[in-house]
Amino acid sequence: MHNLGTVIKFETLRALKKPTFWLAIFAIPIIYAVIFFIGHITSQQTNEKLKELSEGKFSFQITDESGVVDNNIVGQFEGKISANKEESIKEVKEGSLDAYYYIPKNLQEDKIELYGKDRGFSETDKYRIVLDAILKNSGNTVVEPNKIAVVNKTYKTDQTIFKNGEKYDRVSEMIVPGAFLVIFYFVVSLLSGRMLTSTTEEKENRVTEMILTSISAKTLIVGKIISLFILGVVQIFTLFTPIILGYFAVINGKLSGVNLPDIRPFIENIKLNPISIAIAVTVLVAGFLMITSFIVALGSAMPTAQEAGNWMSFIILALMAPFFMMNMFLVGSNNLAVHVISYFPLTSPIALLLRNTLGTLAIHEAIIGIGLLVMFTAIAITLAVRIFQYGTISYGKKVSLKTLFSNK
């Protein structure tokens, strides 16, 4: 292991010198920001369009047998009451009337009938929007405001939770542990490709025998894993440094001329739980090392990065599986499936971080989970070293389990 420092330095600097490494750091955040921005703009445009449609004037008649429609509301929309359903439908067909609404006596069993003149998809939709507005406004005139608030769920709730005799805000304690969950997701997403190619590059270039003449397989594999960990730390600092500097610039008045939301109340409300933070940091480090070791072992077993990539998708899918089982975590920790995926190697990092964020991870469970992560990391490193040793003489084919465990 006397060349370990050399391997770490070489692998780290080789990655830092590549422009693609720095581009990859900001790729995912930028993509998420663009998607959020497009979604926000689209939502605004949709709301404006709906408002425009609801305010658009058109001729219509309405027949109400249910007795819920207020004639004054109909008049506000410049509509008219019809006593002849067939005649109104005829006018719509002929084009002299834009729309006609027939509201049956029993709204629970029968359907409201809407007849309209075609004006294109978006313009035709305003018929339904105006009908909804008439019915809603009519209902508001005959129902008490408190009942309206209950039905529409527009009432406000001020919730106070107590824990151990003191006021407790779970969300404020979830922010920091949740940040480590986000960090783990981003770092693994950004570095998974580099983890995979860290060993396949040497095999594809046919230089592994030359490397192993001066460096042992154990030193090389451990050095690559440590260098990947260092690169992960670099990515974390690169992503969060602008956010931290921006926050201090805001609170110090450096960006007073920029129209930014004041996040100081939000920051001040964050509560730090030392135990929860310590668990999050430990799980993050142990989980990252374990996943890195497994992926490095996978890369060592495959002849090319392309073939290894086909198998890595299963590792990433298993790693992200807890996100697809979110309901089980929200219900509580007294669930066998939650405990299984909390201790299963590939699902445990995110499962433990998620439970730690939700406050459902007991200290003894965290200790067991972290201990298993460390054990699985050691097993993965051992496998990666052994696979890499035999992979050097297995150009063009996979390292079989029979070969791996039968040779001494």
Side-chain angles (χ1 to χ4, degrees), residues 285-306:
V285 173
F288 178 79
L289 290 175
M290 184 198 69
I291 293 298
T292 302
S293 302
F294 273 118
I295 296 179
V296 169
L298 175 64
S300 302
M302 299 296 164
T304 63
Q306 184 177 2

Side-chain angles (χ1 to χ4, degrees), residues 22 31 35 53 59 64 107 136 143 146 183-184 193 195 233 239 265 279 299 316 340 353 367:
W22 299 102
I31 291 173
I35 293 174
L53 290 175
S59 61
D64 175 36
L107 293 176
K136 182 177 180 180
V143 181
N146 287 338
I183 290 171
F184 182 85
M195 295 175 190
V233 174
L239 285 172
I279 291 174
I316 299 300
V340 170
L353 287 170
I367 294 174

Side-chain angles (χ1 to χ4, degrees), residues 52-352:
E52 179 183 335
L53 290 175
S54 64
E55 294 176 351
K57 303 300 181 181
F58 61 92
S59 61
F60 71 90
Q61 295 178 4
I62 185 169
T63 300
D64 175 36
E65 294 187 357
S66 66
V68 299
V69 174
D70 188 326
N71 293 344
N72 293 327
I73 301 296
V74 176
Q76 291 176 8
F77 285 90
E78 301 182 5
K80 295 181 180 180
I81 303 299
S82 172
N84 191 323
K85 176 181 178 181
E86 299 301 328
E87 183 64 26
S88 296
I89 296 175
K90 181 180 178 181
E91 291 184 29
V92 174
K93 288 182 178 179
E94 295 175 349
S96 59
L97 184 67
D98 289 327
Y100 168 69
Y101 306 114
Y102 172 75
I103 302 178
K105 186 175 182 179
N106 190 336
L107 293 176
Q108 292 182 332
E109 295 182 1
D110 300 325
K111 296 180 180 180
I112 295 177
E113 299 177 23
L114 191 162
Y115 303 89
K117 183 169 60 176
D118 180 42
R119 289 176 171 270
F121 182 78
S122 60
E123 290 293 324
T124 302
D125 198 45
K126 68 182 180 181
Y127 299 149
R128 179 188 55 79
I129 295 174
V130 170
L131 173 63
D132 293 341
I134 291 174
L135 293 175
K136 182 177 180 180
N137 293 340
S138 297
N140 290 344
T141 60
V142 297
V143 181
E144 296 179 9
N146 287 338
K147 292 182 179 179
I148 293 174
V150 172
V151 173
N152 295 332
K153 295 183 179 180
T154 57
Y155 53 86
K156 299 178 181 179
T157 304
D158 185 10
Q159 179 174 276
T160 302
I161 304 297
F162 292 95
K163 182 178 181 179
N164 298 327
E166 296 182 359
K167 187 177 178 180
Y168 176 65
D169 185 1
R170 180 182 296 276
V171 175
S172 63
E173 289 191 2
M174 290 172 57
I175 295 173
V176 176
F180 285 96
L181 177 61
V182 174
I183 290 171
F184 182 85
Y185 169 78
F186 273 109
V187 171
V188 172
S189 299
L190 294 171
L191 278 177
S192 57
R194 190 167 297 278
M195 295 175 190
L196 190 64
T197 58
S198 62
T199 51
T200 55
E201 285 182 348
E202 284 82 357
K203 293 180 67 176
E204 290 181 339
N205 294 331
R206 307 294 177 94
V207 296
T208 49
E209 297 99 328
M210 187 183 304
I211 294 174
L212 293 180
T213 57
S214 57
I215 301 175
S216 67
K218 182 178 181 180
T219 300
L220 183 63
I221 293 298
V222 173
K224 286 179 176 292
I225 292 173
I226 295 176
S227 68
L228 287 168
F229 177 78
I230 294 173
L231 293 175
V233 174
V234 171
Q235 289 186 333
I236 292 171
F237 277 101
T238 304
L239 285 172
F240 284 89
T241 297
I243 298 175
I244 296 172
L245 293 178
Y247 166 71
F248 283 108
V250 170
I251 64 175
N252 292 326
K254 301 294 184 181
L255 299 177
S256 56
V258 182
N259 186 19
L260 293 174
D262 187 4
I263 60 173
R264 283 175 290 183
F266 172 78
I267 298 296
E268 293 170 356
N269 191 47
I270 294 177
K271 293 183 179 179
L272 304 178
N273 186 327
I275 297 177
S276 180
I277 294 174
I279 291 174
V281 172
T282 309
V283 172
L284 173 65
V285 173
F288 178 79
L289 290 175
M290 184 198 69
I291 293 298
T292 302
S293 302
F294 273 118
I295 296 179
V296 169
L298 175 64
S300 302
M302 299 296 164
T304 63
Q306 184 177 2
E307 287 193 52
N310 297 331
W311 288 93
M312 191 183 71
S313 58
F314 292 101
I315 295 179
I316 299 300
L317 181 62
L319 183 66
M320 301 300 171
F323 287 128
F324 302 102
M325 306 175 184
M326 185 67 73
N327 289 336
M328 293 192 304
F329 290 91
L330 295 176
V331 170
S333 59
N334 295 325
N335 187 314
L336 179 61
V338 171
H339 287 283
V340 170
I341 61 179
S342 296
Y343 300 136
F344 182 73
L346 297 180
T347 57
S348 59
I350 287 182
L352 293 173

